[in-house]
mmCIF file of all heavy atoms in Angstrom:
data_model
loop_
_atom_site.group_PDB
_atom_site.id
_atom_site.type_symbol
_atom_site.label_atom_id
_atom_site.label_comp_id
_atom_site.label_asym_id
_atom_site.label_seq_id
_atom_site.Cartn_x
_atom_site.Cartn_y
_atom_site.Cartn_z
ATOM 1 N N ARG V 569 15.689 78.435 186.361
ATOM 2 C CA ARG V 569 15.352 79.342 187.422
ATOM 3 C C ARG V 569 13.886 79.667 187.483
ATOM 4 O O ARG V 569 13.256 80.038 186.356
ATOM 5 C CB ARG V 569 16.189 80.514 187.579
ATOM 6 C CG ARG V 569 17.655 80.093 187.841
ATOM 7 C CD ARG V 569 18.463 81.316 187.952
ATOM 8 N NE ARG V 569 19.852 81.111 188.117
ATOM 9 C CZ ARG V 569 20.883 81.737 187.998
ATOM 10 N NH1 ARG V 569 20.698 83.046 187.660
ATOM 11 N NH2 ARG V 569 22.127 81.360 188.206
ATOM 12 N N ASP V 570 13.260 79.844 188.640
ATOM 13 C CA ASP V 570 11.942 80.287 188.671
ATOM 14 C C ASP V 570 11.835 81.820 188.539
ATOM 15 O O ASP V 570 12.900 82.434 188.432
ATOM 16 C CB ASP V 570 11.234 79.888 189.964
ATOM 17 C CG ASP V 570 11.923 80.537 191.174
ATOM 18 O OD1 ASP V 570 13.120 80.704 191.242
ATOM 19 O OD2 ASP V 570 11.096 81.046 191.997
ATOM 20 N N LEU V 571 10.697 82.293 188.344
ATOM 21 C CA LEU V 571 10.506 83.754 188.006
ATOM 22 C C LEU V 571 11.103 84.652 189.101
ATOM 23 O O LEU V 571 11.685 85.676 188.694
ATOM 24 C CB LEU V 571 8.960 83.994 187.814
ATOM 25 C CG LEU V 571 8.675 84.879 186.696
ATOM 26 C CD1 LEU V 571 8.900 84.161 185.378
ATOM 27 C CD2 LEU V 571 7.195 85.341 186.733
ATOM 28 N N ASN V 572 10.896 84.351 190.381
ATOM 29 C CA ASN V 572 11.409 85.185 191.391
ATOM 30 C C ASN V 572 12.823 85.310 191.435
ATOM 31 O O ASN V 572 13.462 86.385 191.681
ATOM 32 C CB ASN V 572 10.790 84.775 192.744
ATOM 33 C CG ASN V 572 9.504 84.963 192.880
ATOM 34 O OD1 ASN V 572 8.676 85.843 192.335
ATOM 35 N ND2 ASN V 572 8.673 84.097 193.690
ATOM 36 N N THR V 573 13.490 84.084 191.276
ATOM 37 C CA THR V 573 15.012 84.114 191.274
ATOM 38 C C THR V 573 15.554 84.869 190.000
ATOM 39 O O THR V 573 16.456 85.584 190.271
ATOM 40 C CB THR V 573 15.406 82.614 191.270
ATOM 41 O OG1 THR V 573 14.856 81.903 192.302
ATOM 42 C CG2 THR V 573 17.004 82.621 191.248
ATOM 43 N N ASN V 574 14.841 84.697 188.881
ATOM 44 C CA ASN V 574 15.302 85.464 187.821
ATOM 45 C C ASN V 574 15.061 87.001 187.926
ATOM 46 O O ASN V 574 15.923 87.840 187.547
ATOM 47 C CB ASN V 574 14.538 84.970 186.615
ATOM 48 C CG ASN V 574 15.255 85.295 185.274
ATOM 49 O OD1 ASN V 574 16.455 85.629 185.276
ATOM 50 N ND2 ASN V 574 14.600 85.349 184.215
ATOM 51 N N ALA V 575 13.996 87.391 188.568
ATOM 52 C CA ALA V 575 13.669 88.858 188.798
ATOM 53 C C ALA V 575 14.817 89.407 189.836
ATOM 54 O O ALA V 575 15.207 90.576 189.590
ATOM 55 C CB ALA V 575 12.299 88.987 189.432
ATOM 56 N N ALA V 576 15.170 88.596 190.782
ATOM 57 C CA ALA V 576 16.104 89.059 191.742
ATOM 58 C C ALA V 576 17.443 89.191 191.090
ATOM 59 O O ALA V 576 18.183 90.168 191.392
ATOM 60 C CB ALA V 576 16.226 88.035 192.931
ATOM 61 N N ARG V 577 17.764 88.263 190.196
ATOM 62 C CA ARG V 577 19.158 88.338 189.379
ATOM 63 C C ARG V 577 19.215 89.620 188.576
ATOM 64 O O ARG V 577 20.153 90.425 188.539
ATOM 65 C CB ARG V 577 19.269 87.158 188.685
ATOM 66 C CG ARG V 577 20.690 86.925 187.942
ATOM 67 C CD ARG V 577 20.845 85.768 187.167
ATOM 68 N NE ARG V 577 19.774 85.544 186.180
ATOM 69 C CZ ARG V 577 19.982 86.113 184.872
ATOM 70 N NH1 ARG V 577 21.103 86.793 184.613
ATOM 71 N NH2 ARG V 577 19.014 85.886 183.932
ATOM 72 N N VAL V 578 18.062 89.835 187.867
ATOM 73 C CA VAL V 578 18.034 91.018 186.985
ATOM 74 C C VAL V 578 18.139 92.328 187.852
ATOM 75 O O VAL V 578 18.890 93.318 187.404
ATOM 76 C CB VAL V 578 16.679 91.029 186.201
ATOM 77 C CG1 VAL V 578 16.553 92.399 185.413
ATOM 78 C CG2 VAL V 578 16.771 89.884 185.176
ATOM 79 N N ALA V 579 17.472 92.358 188.914
ATOM 80 C CA ALA V 579 17.550 93.521 189.726
ATOM 81 C C ALA V 579 18.936 93.824 190.337
ATOM 82 O O ALA V 579 19.404 94.938 190.437
ATOM 83 C CB ALA V 579 16.544 93.395 191.054
ATOM 84 N N ALA V 580 19.561 92.628 190.684
ATOM 85 C CA ALA V 580 20.963 92.740 191.220
ATOM 86 C C ALA V 580 21.922 93.283 190.158
ATOM 87 O O ALA V 580 22.754 94.077 190.447
ATOM 88 C CB ALA V 580 21.401 91.440 191.777
ATOM 89 N N LEU V 581 21.781 92.703 188.958
ATOM 90 C CA LEU V 581 22.545 93.232 187.884
ATOM 91 C C LEU V 581 22.342 94.714 187.492
ATOM 92 O O LEU V 581 23.224 95.451 187.335
ATOM 93 C CB LEU V 581 22.216 92.287 186.596
ATOM 94 C CG LEU V 581 22.878 90.869 186.601
ATOM 95 C CD1 LEU V 581 22.342 90.258 185.385
ATOM 96 C CD2 LEU V 581 24.322 91.031 186.560
ATOM 97 N N ALA V 582 21.046 95.141 187.630
ATOM 98 C CA ALA V 582 20.707 96.538 187.266
ATOM 99 C C ALA V 582 21.255 97.410 188.228
ATOM 100 O O ALA V 582 21.724 98.600 187.869
ATOM 101 C CB ALA V 582 19.200 96.728 187.164
#
Side-chain angles (χ1 to χ4, degrees):
R569 295 182 179 162
D570 66 316
L571 224 69
N572 292 331
T573 306
N574 199 19
R577 187 179 61 84
V578 169
L581 285 171

